[in-house]
Amino acid sequence: MPAQIAERRAPVLLEALLAERNLLVGMAQKILKCRLKAEDVVQDVAVKLCQDPPKLEVHQPGSYLRRMVRNHAIDSLRRSAGESAQMTSTVDMDALASPCACPQDRIATCQELCLVARALQALPSRTRQAFVAHRLGGEPQNAIAARLQVSPTLVNFMMRDATASCRKALEADESRSAA
């Protein structure tokens, strides 16, 4: 019996929706700033009424519909704002730097990485571990000092030595390339 009552409520609300359609579309348009989106909202409300009629009796169909349309328009606005925040425009994409503009740059970058890797391999194991953990792993120097059971000052010197070794390897390669 309750399902039959709910089914009878939908036609009453749909009739009210059709009678107030222009008002409802205008109301949604004020929120969404777009007539087409506003019409979609009103249509979505009509579909919702057909699929899931209200369980309780609606004494003021006009007020009920205006509230439904308003809520649905606000939800639609929030949804589209969230979607646009997640998307990046093509203008923004054009401004992003490419990780590697050309194959020649990619080869040069790979060669530099190989030089740095060789320089790190030449370091003492503990210095290499500390450098990789801090620079690549983001581990704080105090945590590295505790893990390696050395003083934080020694870890700082290890960072300095490893950085100098990498820089020296890159500078030596640059001087060979320039000659």
Side-chain angles (χ1 to χ4, degrees):
M1 198 67 144
Q4 292 172 339
I5 294 171
E7 288 174 11
R8 280 187 261 146
R9 289 186 190 126
V12 172
L13 289 169
L14 287 174
E15 287 175 20
L17 185 133
L18 290 173
E20 294 189 24
R21 183 181 179 286
N22 288 335
L23 172 77
L24 296 171
V25 170
M27 195 175 85
Q29 185 176 355
K30 284 181 183 176
I31 295 169
L32 297 169
K33 310 289 189 240
C34 175
R35 177 99 181 155
L36 294 174
K37 289 180 182 179
E39 289 176 359
D40 286 345
V41 163
V42 173
Q43 183 176 351
D44 289 345
V45 167
V47 169
K48 184 173 173 73
L49 287 172
C50 291
Q51 291 176 344
D52 188 23
K55 307 295 185 251
L56 302 173
E57 187 173 347
V58 178
H59 296 290
Q60 296 179 340
S63 297
Y64 183 81
L65 289 170
R66 285 189 290 279
R67 178 60 61 150
M68 276 188 80
V69 168
R70 180 182 178 279
N71 289 345
H72 197 76
I74 291 170
D75 288 346
S76 177
L77 187 65
R78 287 178 182 154
R79 207 174 19 257
S80 66
E83 289 170 358
S84 65
Q86 290 177 351
M87 293 181 161
T88 304
S89 71
T90 56
V91 174
D92 294 340
M93 295 296 284
D94 291 341
L96 292 176
S98 171
C100 191
C102 70
Q104 186 176 5
D105 290 343
R106 184 178 173 101
I107 291 170
T109 301
C110 287
Q111 288 173 341
E112 288 174 352
L113 283 173
C114 287
L115 289 171
V116 169
R118 274 192 233 120
L120 290 174
Q121 284 299 336
L123 294 172
S125 175
R126 191 171 65 176
T127 303
R128 183 175 54 252
Q129 287 176 10
F131 183 82
V132 169
H134 180 67
R135 293 295 172 118
L136 301 179
E139 190 175 345
Q141 289 186 11
N142 288 337
I144 295 168
R147 184 170 46 83
L148 296 177
Q149 299 177 342
V150 296
S151 71
T153 304
L154 181 57
V155 172
N156 196 16
F157 285 129
M158 289 181 202
M159 292 298 121
R160 183 198 62 192
D161 293 346
T163 302
S165 178
C166 292
R167 193 171 289 133
K168 186 177 177 182
L170 291 173
E171 288 171 355
D173 183 61
E174 280 181 24
S175 63
R176 268 186 261 133
S177 298

